[in-house]
Amino acid sequence: MEHTSTLEKALRGVAITCVILFFMFPIFWIVLMSFQTNETILRVPPSIIFDPTIQNYVALITGRLETSAGSLEINFMSNLWNSLFLSSASVAVGLILGVPAAYAFGRLKFRGSEDIAFTLLSFRFAPPLLVLLPLTIYFQQIGLADTYFGLIWVYQLIVLPLILWIVRGYFEDIPADIENAYRVAGHSWFSTFRKVALPLAMPGIAAAGLLAFIFAWNNFIFALVLASADKQPVTVGALAFVTASGIQYGQVAAGVVLSILPTLALALYAQRYLVEGLSLGAVKG
Amino acid sequence: MTESVLRLENIDKFYGPVGLGVHAVRDVSMEVEEGDIIALLGSSGCGKTSTLRMIAGFEETSRGKIHLAGREVQKLPPVRRHVAMAFEGYSLYPTVNVRDNIAFALKAARLPAAEVAAKVQEVAEMLEITDILDRSPNSLSGGQQQRASLARALIRDADLYLLDEPMGQLEPQLRTLLRGRIKFFIKERGMTAILVTHDQTEANALADKIAVMEEGVLQQYATPAEIKDRPANLFTGTFVGEPPMNVFPVTAAASGGRLSIALADGVVLDYAESDFAAEVRDRILTRGDVMIGVRPYAVHRSETGPTATIQANQWLGDQSHIAASFAGQTVVLVEHHRADVAIGEPISIRVDAHDLHVFDAETGMAISHGPELA
Ligand SMILES: Nc1ncnc2c1ncn2[C@@H]1O[C@H](COP(=O)(O)OP(=O)(O)OP(=O)(O)O)[C@@H](O)[C@H]1O
Ligand SMILES: [Mg+2]
């Protein structure tokens, strides 16, 4: 790789540009849309020359949507807050439950441990609708429908298997004797878990937490069915822009931009962990 | 009577279900006295590491009891056993430098910083690792990691030190140097240690007693001299000793006050009956078919006796290793001077009665060593 010719460099540059263009274009377009009115968006042919307006953002933030049919209440900001709260709380609960479980599955081979771990993973295979119907009925009976608690519980279906399986791989990669060396030096298994295993698996835990956060954030169907307006996250809240007088493309775009900002910021911040964390074997013996 | 530091009582290790899985350690019993260094010797996969791991508590003891410093510990977790261990795979904490790796346990025990520093310096000097104390374990060579790991074990205060091949990665010169220092370090402090090694010189030089293992079974547990002079069975006889003991299947017969031992190809070694104690003669003659073992330095060239033909003659700088075809196989002689024999040359072989080890051909158990019963 040391002797790359100029031609090779140029070709590689072109290829990378193409890939970036291809993947970034929709996002670029959404960002453009968020600064336009419905009229300029729906122009044929589309153009990237327009008078930018921040009306869409103002509408979202103030919570008042003016349409030709009159003004409309929207609670986008509370949706955003709901997303943030539901995702963070779900990941927090997922980590608290999942990391010790991952350690147990990774380190202690007990009878049926493989089966239990696989069952947990299989939650990810099942179509959400399969569990939603019975879940809705149960939740209504025991009073968990339309509560944050109930939602966070259901979100564990998304985050727990993810955390469990990624982190478990990490714990398995830590040579057992590193922990044994610590244990034989007079430490209980719990302090070994805390002082040796946890720090060594940290990149994996961070990566798993981040991925779980993004998956939870992007979830649509659970929240759609189980939450009413005041508890809905942005993914569901965006439906409000489909109004009687048409789809408010500008506000949808602005909503999308606002809702990807937190995950984008998080991903950029934790990029190093993500790359390190998802390339297994980062923990050297 | 003082309680020994370690007592293993019929311990077994099964990986997998008891009675079904890999039977790595079989019914091992042994006792280690305070202040002794024990060398654990045996071929790869014979169960040495498994034994140490059961003592330390990383592996469950499938059967049997382990007594450590007067307590029955086989059910206790490692934290309660008060042993120190240097691991076969080093297993240093990857996140901290070598100095902190070594000092970890002392710091956790809240020793004053100055005392910790002094102790680390002392062990590091002994093991020649002062120059790598501030490096991270991932940047070290195998031999450096190994010494760091050994230092981490030796610096601790423990009832028993388990050292799993602590010098396997080192070059012979350094190994010889460290061997002496480690022995001094251990003996000076009255520490008790079990040391796994593949190096017989190391075992002989360091150990008060050697435990020879094979296929999970403790074959013999005795002083180095006893293992050399009175091997308990064919395995110990041939496994310990460099070059290995010569072994021949033979048939013994007595007539006219002589005891003749017939090897293959009509080769006969002839002894006076009086060379052996009466019960030895009886045992050998009633068995009829036995195996004899002779150490290479006890096979002599002589004027008379059965002939052998030289196959190879190597001068190692301080001794000659001579291989000769004899009784349908190869016999090895060691002479402590430069032997002047050429390939193809015939020689006569003499083996003295007191150098003969006789083993049961079926069980491999020793019957006699020289004139005496085993
Ligand atoms: N975790 C395990 N699961 C199953 N079998 C094992 C396990 N650990 C060791 N064994 C088996 O037990 C036997 C003894 O292994 P052990 O590691 O004790 O050998 P050793 O004498 O230390 O060998 P070496 O000199 O190569 O280190 C071997 O046959 C090995 O394959
Ligand atoms: Mg081993």
Side-chain angles (χ1 to χ4, degrees):
Chain A
M1 292 299 259
E2 281 158 38
H3 305 283
T4 36
S5 67
T6 334
L7 177 69
E8 225 176 304
K9 269 187 201 154
L11 283 179
R12 191 178 299 158
V14 170
I16 290 174
T17 315
C18 288
V19 170
I20 290 178
L21 275 182
F22 183 80
F23 283 108
M24 292 308 285
F25 184 76
I27 294 173
F28 171 72
W29 200 248
I30 286 279
V31 173
L32 285 191
M33 278 168 71
S34 72
F35 290 105
Q36 303 177 51
T37 58
N38 249 14
E39 290 77 57
T40 50
I41 292 170
L42 296 175
R43 236 171 358 184
V44 183
S47 158
I48 58 165
I49 299 156
F50 56 89
D51 279 336
T53 164
I54 56 163
Q55 274 316 306
N56 296 322
Y57 288 99
V58 172
L60 289 179
I61 290 165
T62 58
R64 291 210 65 77
L65 180 57
E66 309 290 344
T67 65
S68 46
S71 85
L72 193 71
E73 287 276 337
I74 46 169
N75 34 17
F76 180 80
M77 289 318 280
S78 85
N79 287 338
L80 199 61
W81 154 248
N82 281 340
S83 273
L84 206 63
F85 175 72
L86 285 175
S87 305
S88 317
S90 303
V91 170
V93 171
L95 286 175
I96 291 169
L97 296 176
V99 171
Y103 185 72
F105 284 126
R107 270 286 177 266
L108 321 167
K109 298 292 172 200
F110 47 93
R111 187 188 294 266
S113 65
E114 262 337 289
D115 301 326
I116 299 173
F118 188 78
T119 306
L120 285 169
L121 182 67
S122 69
F123 292 162
R124 301 259 338 133
F125 306 153
L129 284 172
L130 190 75
V131 286
L132 260 175
L133 187 64
L135 213 58
T136 316
I137 298 169
Y138 281 137
F139 268 34
Q140 272 161 1
Q141 282 175 0
I142 58 178
L144 280 178
D146 196 24
T147 60
Y148 285 123
F149 183 81
L151 276 175
I152 290 167
W153 190 341
V154 175
Y155 270 42
Q156 295 310 312
L157 282 177
I158 308 167
V159 301
L160 203 53
L162 206 65
I163 290 173
L164 194 73
W165 277 78
I166 295 180
V167 176
R168 172 193 161 150
Y170 265 81
F171 283 131
E172 280 174 347
D173 269 12
I174 302 172
D177 278 347
I178 291 184
E179 288 174 35
N180 285 337
Y182 194 75
R183 291 207 292 161
V184 81
H187 301 271
S188 65
W189 74 261
F190 183 70
S191 92
T192 308
F193 168 69
R194 229 161 42 88
K195 291 285 178 50
V196 180
L198 268 190
L200 286 179
M202 214 25 120
I205 295 173
L210 193 62
L211 268 190
F213 185 88
I214 293 171
F215 273 70
W217 185 278
N218 291 342
N219 175 261
F220 176 74
I221 192 80
F222 286 133
L224 176 71
V225 176
L226 291 170
S228 63
D230 64 324
K231 306 221 168 45
Q232 277 168 354
V234 276
T235 41
V236 181
L239 285 179
F241 302 118
V242 184
T243 64
S245 58
I247 301 173
Q248 305 299 316
Y249 288 107
Q251 274 102 20
V252 172
V256 168
V257 171
L258 284 183
S259 68
I260 61 173
L261 278 182
T263 43
L264 188 69
L266 203 61
L268 284 179
Y269 167 72
Q271 198 180 29
R272 197 172 62 87
Y273 285 125
L274 255 187
V275 175
E276 216 176 83
L278 292 179
S279 51
L280 286 175
V283 188
K284 275 210 241 162
Chain B
M1 197 194 100
T2 58
E3 174 82 36
S4 47
V5 169
L6 173 73
R7 195 165 86 244
L8 304 180
E9 255 178 56
N10 311 94
I11 61 167
D12 277 276
K13 178 66 201 173
F14 289 93
Y15 290 104
V18 173
L20 291 175
V22 180
H23 201 172
V25 176
R26 297 165 187 250
D27 198 27
V28 167
S29 297
M30 67 188 265
E31 223 168 308
V32 178
E33 301 301 330
E34 183 165 3
D36 273 1
I37 303 179
I38 308 303
L40 194 50
L41 213 55
S43 48
S44 183
C46 72
K48 305 182 293 293
T49 301
S50 302
T51 306
L52 294 197
R53 295 176 73 85
M54 278 192 285
I55 298 172
F58 307 139
E59 292 291 350
E60 208 180 324
T61 310
S62 310
R63 273 202 297 248
K65 288 182 179 163
I66 299 177
H67 295 263
L68 251 171
R71 297 174 306 155
E72 196 174 304
V73 298
Q74 74 273 9
K75 297 274 186 241
L76 298 184
V79 54
R80 309 251 317 266
R81 298 201 184 188
H82 209 233
V83 301
M85 181 153 177
F87 290 82
E88 198 172 10
Y90 327 135
S91 303
L92 297 164
Y93 313 124
T95 43
V96 298
N97 66 19
V98 172
R99 185 190 307 280
D100 289 340
N101 257 285
I102 299 174
F104 221 103
L106 298 188
K107 281 186 181 164
R110 303 200 193 294
L111 252 65
E115 194 180 334
V116 174
K119 283 196 169 193
V120 171
Q121 188 63 24
E122 182 188 24
V123 202
E125 271 169 21
M126 171 180 84
L127 297 176
E128 304 278 335
I129 48 172
T130 44
D131 53 331
I132 55 163
L133 282 178
D134 294 311
R135 303 248 306 264
S136 129
N138 285 332
S139 71
L140 302 181
S141 75
Q144 290 169 330
Q145 289 188 48
Q146 194 166 43
R147 280 175 287 160
S149 159
L150 178 59
R152 179 175 65 177
L154 288 181
I155 202 170
R156 292 225 357 247
D157 172 35
D159 290 332
L160 178 65
Y161 296 78
L162 305 169
L163 313 175
D164 203 345
E165 296 184 38
M167 290 184 276
Q169 290 285 329
L170 309 181
E171 75 272 12
Q173 295 84 340
L174 186 58
R175 211 189 285 197
T176 313
L177 174 76
L178 295 193
R179 190 200 293 152
R181 290 189 189 170
I182 291 170
K183 181 166 187 174
F184 183 77
F185 186 94
I186 293 181
K187 287 292 176 191
E188 190 185 40
R189 287 162 179 75
M191 293 152 63
T192 313
I194 301 182
L195 162 125
V196 171
T197 176
H198 285 288
D199 182 343
Q200 300 188 7
T201 321
E202 193 170 293
N204 283 315
L206 280 175
D208 297 294
K209 277 176 148 186
I210 296 179
V212 183
M213 264 183 104
E214 178 62 4
E215 301 201 329
V217 178
L218 183 61
Q219 304 285 335
Q220 189 166 9
Y221 179 47
T223 62
E226 200 172 338
I227 293 217
K228 179 170 140 278
D229 297 337
R230 308 178 59 81
N233 55 33
L234 256 181
F235 178 81
T236 322
T238 49
F239 189 77
V240 185
E242 248 312 343
M245 180 186 264
N246 297 296
V247 176
F248 302 92
V250 301
T251 314
S255 69
R258 309 292 296 172
L259 184 74
S260 63
I261 294 181
L263 288 69
D265 286 356
V267 174
V268 175
L269 296 171
D270 189 44
Y271 300 98
E273 273 192 357
S274 57
D275 285 343
F276 300 90
E279 55 272 57
V280 173
R281 283 199 312 268
D282 285 352
R283 286 283 299 280
I284 297 178
L285 290 170
T286 47
R287 282 312 269 138
D289 294 331
V290 292
M291 309 283 275
I292 58 164
V294 190
R295 301 241 176 241
Y297 55 78
V299 183
H300 307 287
R301 286 190 280 154
S302 71
E303 303 294 306
T304 58
T307 52
T309 312
I310 303 289
Q311 291 172 324
N313 177 9
Q314 294 169 293
W315 171 238
L316 303 185
D318 59 349
Q319 48 184 263
S320 290
H321 287 191
I322 303 165
S325 64
F326 178 71
Q329 60 188 76
T330 297
V331 66
V332 175
L333 297 72
V334 169
E335 296 182 359
H336 290 276
H337 57 89
R338 191 164 193 150
D340 182 25
V341 287
I343 292 174
E345 194 175 311
I347 53 169
S348 290
I349 294 273
R350 188 192 89 232
V351 175
D352 296 333
H354 62 82
D355 289 326
L356 271 190
H357 301 275
V358 182
F359 301 95
D360 189 304
E362 267 166 42
T363 63
M365 298 308 289
I367 295 174
S368 66
H369 303 293
E372 289 158 24
L373 272 187

